[in-house]
Amino acid sequence: TSREMLYRMNILAMIYRLEKDATVLKRIDDELKAVCNFSDWNPSHYLDVAEMAMAVAIALDWTGNALPASTIELAKNALIEKGIKPSFTGSEPSWVNGTNNWNQVCNGGMIAAAIAVAEKDPELSAKTIRRALDGMPYSLAAYGPDGVYPEGATYWGYGTSFSVSTSSLLQSAFGT
């Protein structure tokens, strides 16, 4: 469900960004309201949470303020309550400093969520981004010394796509 939402939001939000089509915006609005009203985003398998957080953050960013204020508020609350906060309950999740694709996907999704809610909760956003930036080098070290990846080509593509997206998010939001 999360991966499908991420796929749909990438396409729908890009089309909306290019064409400003009200029908596409309505579909984004409907999709966001649906997933943000889920009881949770499956925190027992944090890849699901991270992909959903990335999808919701992309939808918010690429539609600007064109969505209804109520949807924007719902989405930001969901990013905080269903996305970021579950990653801070109990002990530090293993993916934070992990050496595989979970690190890239989960930290990337949390950075996207944190950027999207930074004005609403700057302290939580800063804490989330700092933790992710501290943890991501552990997964990136797996590419050394020559770019091969111990999990094989499929996970290389999966993890790398999130690393590239995260790098782009950071560049866009912070200029670095």
Side-chain angles (χ1 to χ4, degrees):
T1 301
S2 296
R3 188 156 306 153
E4 181 62 29
M5 179 64 172
L6 180 56
Y7 175 76
R8 281 195 303 262
M9 282 307 107
N10 269 296
I11 300 227
L12 289 168
M14 180 59 73
I15 291 169
Y16 178 76
R17 191 170 170 90
L18 294 171
E19 301 192 4
K20 304 294 189 231
D21 183 325
T23 306
V24 174
L25 184 64
K26 169 82 168 86
R27 178 63 185 264
I28 293 169
D29 185 53
D30 290 344
E31 296 275 344
L32 281 175
K33 287 189 281 194
V35 301
C36 291
N37 281 308
F38 286 178
S39 61
D40 62 50
W41 289 344
N42 194 22
S44 65
H45 189 258
Y46 226 80
L47 289 173
D48 295 341
V49 174
E51 288 182 347
M52 191 67 80
M54 182 76 78
V56 171
I58 286 170
L60 288 176
D61 186 50
W62 291 2
T63 58
N65 289 322
L67 289 164
S70 60
T71 301
I72 293 170
E73 186 67 17
L74 175 68
K76 287 183 178 185
N77 287 337
L79 286 170
I80 291 168
E81 298 300 326
K82 295 173 181 142
I84 297 171
K85 282 186 176 178
S87 74
F88 284 103
T89 59
S91 61
E92 183 116 293
S94 61
W95 52 261
V96 170
N97 297 313
T99 58
N100 60 25
N101 69 81
W102 280 67
N103 176 314
Q104 296 158 289
V105 175
C106 295
N107 280 317
M110 293 304 96
I111 286 174
I115 291 169
V117 302
E119 291 179 6
K120 184 174 182 67
D121 194 334
E123 185 176 316
L124 180 62
S125 293
K127 178 177 157 182
T128 302
I129 292 169
R130 171 53 37 216
R131 179 184 68 180
L133 292 177
D134 288 346
M136 287 189 80
Y138 292 101
S139 67
L140 299 176
Y143 291 90
D146 55 8
V148 297
Y149 194 67
E151 294 183 288
T154 300
Y155 285 122
W156 183 97
Y158 181 53
T160 301
S161 70
F162 273 83
S163 289
V164 170
S165 295
T166 303
S167 178
S168 180
L169 287 164
L170 293 166
Q171 180 67 37
S172 176
F174 304 114
T176 184

